[in-house]
Amino acid sequence: MDEPHAVVVGGGIGGLSAALALHRRGWRVTVLERAPELREVGAGLTLMANALRALDALGLSPALRSSTHAEAPGGVRDRRGRWLSRVDAAEMIRQLGTSALGIHRATLHRLLREALPAASLHTGAEVEHVESETDHATVRYGGPDGPRTLDADLVVGADGLRSRLRAQLWPEIPAPVYAGSTTWRAAIAFPEPIPTAITWGPAAEFGMVPIGEGQLYWYGAITAPPGGHAPDELAAVRDHFGAWHEPIPALLAATPPGVVLRNDIHHLATPLPSYVRGRVALLGDAAHAMTPNLGQGAGQAIEDAVVLGAVCSGGAQGLPTALAAYDEQRRPRSQSIARASLRAGRYGQQLRNPVALAVRAAALRLTPPSATLRSMTWCADWRPPTN
Ligand SMILES: Cc1cc2nc3c(=O)[nH]c(=O)nc-3n(C[C@H](O)[C@H](O)[C@H](O)COP(=O)(O)OP(=O)(O)OC[C@H]3O[C@@H](n4cnc5c(N)ncnc54)[C@H](O)[C@@H]3O)c2cc1C
């Protein structure tokens, strides 16, 4: 039997995870990435137990443990630094088998990249069109050597928030919409030990996550109209968060100018009716771009990849049935996490009304630690398929 061939469109965390999952199941993979270089921009990520188990299933455990930081769980504070709720670290480990880990995005991207055959990775390759036939698919892409086409048994659309494959194959689905918030992020050198924690103020949130090797990732999010830019984004962050509790001013003081990224948050507000059309399967942000409030976007992309690899373990034989199983296993879970993430943003970062803020603070203080933990961990309690 010929080696089955998958073309993966997009070389982000989702695309590389999918390529690795299929490669480990005996597929020949070709990753087409439009950027001239394969690299991940952005700052840090939190990987919860579900993402860690998915990465274990991709064989990345040992490399991962030496490149991450086990989070010292803190909890939620108000902007004066008073704890509203604390995470019970021991109970989290008892329930999930691990704490969450903080990692630099670039590190995770490199680990995935290094686990793949170098010859499978193609940069400067922008996919323009995909045609799905009964028994194969054709991908047309452009690059430095002009237009090319590739045949594949399977095409994986991992082309992110603004997915061209989604727009082409599901034209009835509206483009992602603005979720109402803008964020600043940075990864900085900050060797002092601090707990992973978030702080809520009126219509604003600041988070901090140690990511190992003396580095820390912080983000600040506010409710704002879309499209805002400041001549000096770090100064804008200081305007919003500089008077909040320590160590927030210290983190901003330790941030060099020029490393702060600013992104408006968009999400796919209309859920897809399927993640599969013919021989094309979408995953990651292409399938279910969600707000970052639960820290699950990359985790869901990696879960998608592992499940896709598992259902496709029989090669190109019986692919329609395998892809139907992929859709069935992935869509309900990832779409319910996307909905929960949106709700978490509305109840968390976006809450502005002073009475609602006071009620929320009181509710958080009164909630038993076990219930607080459950509200954080339900989406992390996932295991990869056993086949
Ligand atoms: C502020 C913020 C904080 C976040 N924090 C977390 C967190 O803590 N934990 C977590 O799990 N997730 C988090 N996320 C979400 C996470 O970053 C994304 O869900 C994840 O990176 C999506 O990966 P992806 O591979 O699907 O898409 P992308 O990373 O967007 O990759 C898509 C790739 O496809 C390429 N591409 C696009 N079009 C084409 C084309 N036509 N041809 C070829 N290539 C193409 C792009 O260049 C890109 O490389 C956060 C997101 C934001 C915005």
Side-chain angles (χ1 to χ4, degrees):
M1 195 170 45
D2 282 349
E3 202 180 27
H5 179 216
V7 170
V8 178
V9 182
I13 288 167
L16 294 187
S17 300
L20 183 54
L22 290 163
H23 171 66
R24 287 171 63 87
R25 300 283 183 164
W27 286 67
R28 180 165 69 86
V29 290
T30 306
V31 178
L32 301 177
E33 165 56 50
R34 70 176 169 195
E37 210 185 322
L38 257 186
R39 66 189 182 96
E40 176 73 17
V41 288
L45 278 176
T46 294
L47 299 173
M48 295 186 72
N50 58 316
L52 294 169
R53 288 190 187 124
L55 290 164
D56 281 353
L58 295 178
L60 290 187
S61 269
L64 202 61
R65 306 281 158 184
S66 61
S67 322
T68 49
H69 184 91
E71 289 186 358
V76 181
R77 286 182 272 205
D78 68 16
R79 65 190 155 147
R80 287 164 62 188
R82 294 172 302 194
W83 290 102
L84 300 173
S85 73
R86 301 299 299 263
V87 173
D88 182 340
E91 182 56 19
M92 184 193 251
I93 293 173
R94 199 191 62 75
Q95 283 182 22
L96 296 172
T98 177
S99 62
L101 297 184
I103 189 168
H104 200 295
R105 275 168 187 269
T107 307
L108 177 57
H109 195 263
R110 174 178 55 76
L111 294 176
L112 289 163
R113 213 166 58 224
E114 287 175 355
L116 281 162
S120 65
L121 306 173
H122 301 263
T123 51
E126 174 148 16
V127 172
E128 287 152 6
H129 190 81
V130 175
E131 208 59 62
S132 180
E133 311 286 350
T134 321
D135 61 347
H136 76 288
T138 309
V139 178
R140 195 177 75 222
Y141 66 101
D145 306 322
R148 299 248 172 125
T149 58
L150 267 179
D151 273 348
D153 298 292
L154 167 67
V155 175
V156 181
D159 50 346
L161 174 73
R162 307 262 169 223
S163 169
R164 187 173 286 180
L165 268 59
R166 185 202 314 125
Q168 186 206 316
L169 297 170
W170 285 267
E172 72 282 9
I173 298 295
V177 298
Y178 183 55
S181 303
T182 192
T183 67
W184 294 271
R185 315 178 257 174
I188 59 167
F190 199 81
E192 282 171 44
I194 61 159
T196 293
I198 63 171
T199 302
W200 279 337
E205 171 176 328
F206 194 95
M208 54 194 83
V209 182
I211 54 174
E213 294 166 351
Q215 287 199 299
L216 177 136
Y217 155 57
W218 64 252
Y219 67 87
I222 58 163
T223 305
H229 286 291
D232 177 348
E233 296 291 4
L234 179 55
V237 187
R238 288 198 180 116
D239 284 348
H240 285 286
F241 299 101
W244 286 26
H245 67 82
E246 287 294 352
I248 295 171
L251 299 183
L252 299 182
T255 303
V259 303
V260 178
L261 299 167
R262 180 169 182 173
N263 295 95
D264 285 348
I265 301 298
H266 291 81
H267 70 120
L268 192 63
T270 310
L272 285 168
S274 170
Y275 289 173
V276 174
R277 186 144 292 178
R279 295 255 161 171
V280 182
L282 294 190
L283 62 66
D285 281 6
H288 45 63
M290 61 187 73
T291 62
N293 304 86
L294 287 181
Q296 276 289 334
Q300 289 308 298
I302 304 165
E303 282 187 23
D304 291 342
V306 168
V307 172
L308 185 66
V311 299
C312 292
S313 59
Q317 296 285 327
L319 207 54
T321 310
L323 294 182
Y326 165 73
D327 181 53
E328 196 185 324
Q329 289 180 45
R330 292 306 306 151
R331 196 159 42 83
R333 173 170 163 80
S334 51
Q335 290 181 342
S336 94
I337 289 176
R339 284 192 300 275
S341 200
L342 195 64
R343 280 197 303 276
R346 287 183 181 148
Y347 170 77
Q349 181 267 304
Q350 295 186 332
L351 208 62
R352 182 192 295 274
N353 178 294
V355 176
L357 291 172
V359 169
R360 179 181 69 188
L364 281 171
R365 287 201 183 94
L366 290 173
T367 305
S370 56
T372 307
L373 192 61
R374 242 190 340 272
S375 72
M376 292 172 58
T377 57
W378 67 270
C379 56
D381 196 7
W382 173 90
R383 285 172 195 282
T386 47
N387 71 328

